Amino acid sequence: MTATSRPDAELPVIPMPRDARCPLAPPAEFARWRELPGMRLARWRDQPTWICSRYEDIREALVDPRLSADTIPDSLKVAASDNMPVIFPRIDDPEHNRLRRMMTREFTFRRAAAMRPQIQEFVDGLLDEMVRTGPPRDIVRDFALPVPSLVISLLLGVPYEDHEFFQQSSAAGLDSRSSDEQKATSIGALFEYMFDLVARKEREPGDDLMSRLIVDHVATGNLSRETAAMNALILLQAGHETSASMISLGTLALLQHPAAMAGLRDTEDPAATAALVEELMRYLSVVHSLVERVALQDCTIGGQSIKAGDVVLMNLPAGNWDPVFVGDPARLDPERNSRGHLGFGFGVHQCIGANLARVEMQVALVSLVRRLPGLRLAVPFEELRFQNEKGLFGIEELPVTWWS
């Protein structure tokens, strides 16, 4: 059976609903999908799609040259002037590597570590305000969104006062309920903003990634203005959405696991903090339906016959909860070695901002549990509203209180 030969009415729909009793866990169906031979066919983005759910299959698929990252529909591609901007995560090598190398030095382990004091300053300022005004406060609005927004704005050279615009436009572009027209409108608005910023940085370059792209690559003819703007847009969007979801849901996970929260609060060992963040990345897997590939030729992936043109979606939550990868995956274990998780993807397209995201989460979560004693939910757990419709799993609000 091919991806187009099965009646649509029989297909499960991605994203799948989660159990309201344990919404941080992937849908229970994913465990059954791992056990079935081949892959599960589902409906995703209104088309039949193969769902790759086993840890080893996902890793193999993400390095298989027969599967291409160039999956963006023409309806969502933005035409600017006479030059179509190139989105580096959505193309294959060697062009992917050429464009990625223009930005990698901004996201090295050393660069992320050097930003730690500035990130700590942002975090402390937000917590100071929360302490000053007192509980209850919403972790999403007052902390989780501002932290990565401030950091990525600083890195790119984007004025932070525009953060509400790019947060709203980014959210609409990632929402699976948005039509292609709505997504294109949101992406187009973000692109116009970034393209205008390119022009401003050409006139007045600063000490930021956007300015260095322009001076080092646009000015030399190695990069078009359109592609510089588009890839800055991608970094801006990914740089705050994913980290904001991880900080919010990471906080909730810690509230549900008091021993883990106490251990994070009391430890002076950076390695222990880093290990817990890796385990939270595995446990939460917020990127639940964004990493897809398209088959360039007929092939077999994970024991499944795939036809040229078929789309394969990497089911990262299922892979991160695969018992082949870790034992007892439903248990949040701060002492577990979760390195090798799929939270940042895998292979040459692995998240370019992984090092920076790790530092953001480490600083944010440690500071949060230390500054707010007695941190706890301000509403019953059952009243929390989760976002399962976007390509990123998240939470609408996280009202908390503490001993003030």
Side-chain angles (χ1 to χ4, degrees):
M1 179 173 291
T2 69
T4 56
S5 64
R6 184 167 178 171
D8 292 351
E10 299 179 17
L11 299 180
V13 177
I14 297 292
M16 295 194 72
R18 299 186 177 213
D19 189 336
R21 295 168 298 180
C22 47
L24 298 187
E29 289 87 346
F30 291 172
R32 293 191 286 272
W33 291 7
R34 287 193 302 263
E35 297 168 358
L36 295 172
M39 297 184 198
R40 187 69 162 91
L41 194 63
R43 191 159 191 81
W44 177 66
R45 289 184 177 172
D46 206 31
Q47 66 174 331
T49 302
W50 293 112
I51 310 300
C52 189
S53 299
R54 288 183 286 272
Y55 177 79
E56 292 295 345
D57 291 346
I58 293 171
R59 284 169 62 98
E60 291 177 11
L62 288 175
V63 297
D64 194 319
R66 298 172 299 177
L67 296 181
S68 171
D70 187 2
T71 60
I72 298 178
D74 290 341
S75 61
L76 293 182
K77 292 181 178 177
V78 178
S81 303
D82 296 323
N83 296 317
M84 180 69 72
V86 179
I87 302 175
F88 84 95
R90 296 301 190 185
I91 58 174
D92 302 319
D93 285 343
E95 182 64 4
H96 160 261
N97 183 57
R98 186 183 78 86
L99 293 178
R100 185 183 176 106
R101 287 179 62 189
M102 295 179 183
M103 295 172 280
T104 49
R105 71 176 182 178
E106 307 288 342
F107 296 98
T108 62
F109 177 83
R110 179 177 296 180
R111 172 66 169 145
M115 290 189 69
R116 186 179 288 268
Q118 181 68 74
I119 296 171
Q120 186 70 64
E121 184 179 329
F122 289 151
V123 166
D124 288 344
L126 293 165
L127 289 173
D128 286 345
E129 178 62 16
M130 290 176 68
V131 169
R132 185 187 68 80
T133 56
R137 296 299 292 268
D138 174 17
I139 289 293
V140 177
R141 180 196 63 214
D142 299 325
F143 189 69
L145 267 173
V147 169
S149 296
L150 283 162
V151 173
I152 197 63
S153 296
L154 173 69
L155 185 70
L156 286 172
V158 174
Y160 180 69
E161 55 265 27
D162 297 334
H163 70 282
E164 287 190 8
F165 162 73
F166 65 70
Q167 285 172 1
Q168 292 170 0
S169 298
S170 176
L174 289 170
D175 196 327
S176 65
R177 297 167 297 182
S178 299
S179 66
D180 281 359
E181 181 179 357
Q182 290 171 321
K183 290 178 182 178
T185 298
S186 297
I187 295 170
L190 279 169
F191 178 81
E192 289 181 10
Y193 174 86
M194 298 307 294
F195 194 70
D196 288 343
L197 186 62
V198 167
R200 287 157 57 187
K201 295 294 182 180
E202 282 185 308
R203 297 191 300 269
E204 301 175 3
D207 183 18
D208 53 68
L209 186 153
M210 178 72 87
S211 296
R212 283 186 280 276
L213 279 180
I214 292 167
V215 172
D216 296 343
H217 302 289
V218 173
T220 61
N222 293 323
L223 186 69
S224 71
R225 292 176 176 83
E226 291 80 8
T227 294
M230 179 57 78
N231 287 295
L233 183 162
I234 296 300
L235 294 174
L236 180 69
Q237 185 179 58
H240 81 272
E241 286 278 353
T242 50
S243 293
S245 288
M246 273 303 307
I247 293 169
S248 301
L249 294 174
T251 301
L252 180 58
L254 291 172
L255 291 174
Q256 292 187 305
H257 297 81
M261 184 164 69
L264 180 65
R265 181 191 63 228
D266 299 337
T267 186
E268 296 296 334
D269 182 5
T273 300
L276 176 57
V277 165
E278 296 304 311
E279 172 67 349
L280 286 170
M281 285 294 303
R282 179 204 69 82
Y283 184 79
L284 294 169
S285 304
V286 298
V287 182
H288 65 170
S289 57
L290 276 178
V291 182
E292 81 272 28
R293 297 291 184 266
V294 61
L296 298 176
Q297 62 188 69
D298 293 356
C299 56
T300 299
I301 305 292
Q304 180 67 54
S305 296
I306 304 291
K307 297 294 184 182
D310 281 358
V311 175
V312 181
L313 179 67
M314 307 303 153
N315 191 350
L316 302 186
N320 277 333
W321 280 50
D322 190 337
V324 170
F325 172 45
V326 293
D328 194 9
R331 179 169 59 93
L332 179 69
D333 183 358
E335 298 182 359
R336 191 197 306 273
N337 180 6
S338 299
R339 287 283 181 171
H341 66 76
L342 301 167
F344 292 117
F346 183 69
V348 297
H349 285 84
Q350 188 172 30
C351 175
I352 192 173
N355 291 317
L356 182 60
R358 288 183 170 108
V359 173
E360 288 177 359
M361 286 185 282
Q362 291 166 17
V363 173
L365 293 176
V366 168
S367 301
L368 184 71
V369 300
R370 289 180 178 172
R371 287 288 305 279
L372 305 181
L375 184 66
R376 60 198 184 276
L377 287 177
V379 298
F381 181 87
E382 296 74 21
E383 293 183 10
L384 298 177
R385 293 177 293 116
F386 294 88
Q387 298 173 339
N388 196 49
E389 295 78 16
K390 296 181 181 180
L392 300 173
F393 181 63
I395 188 169
E396 295 281 353
E397 298 175 334
L398 186 60
V400 298
T401 187
W402 61 90
W403 300 325
S404 58

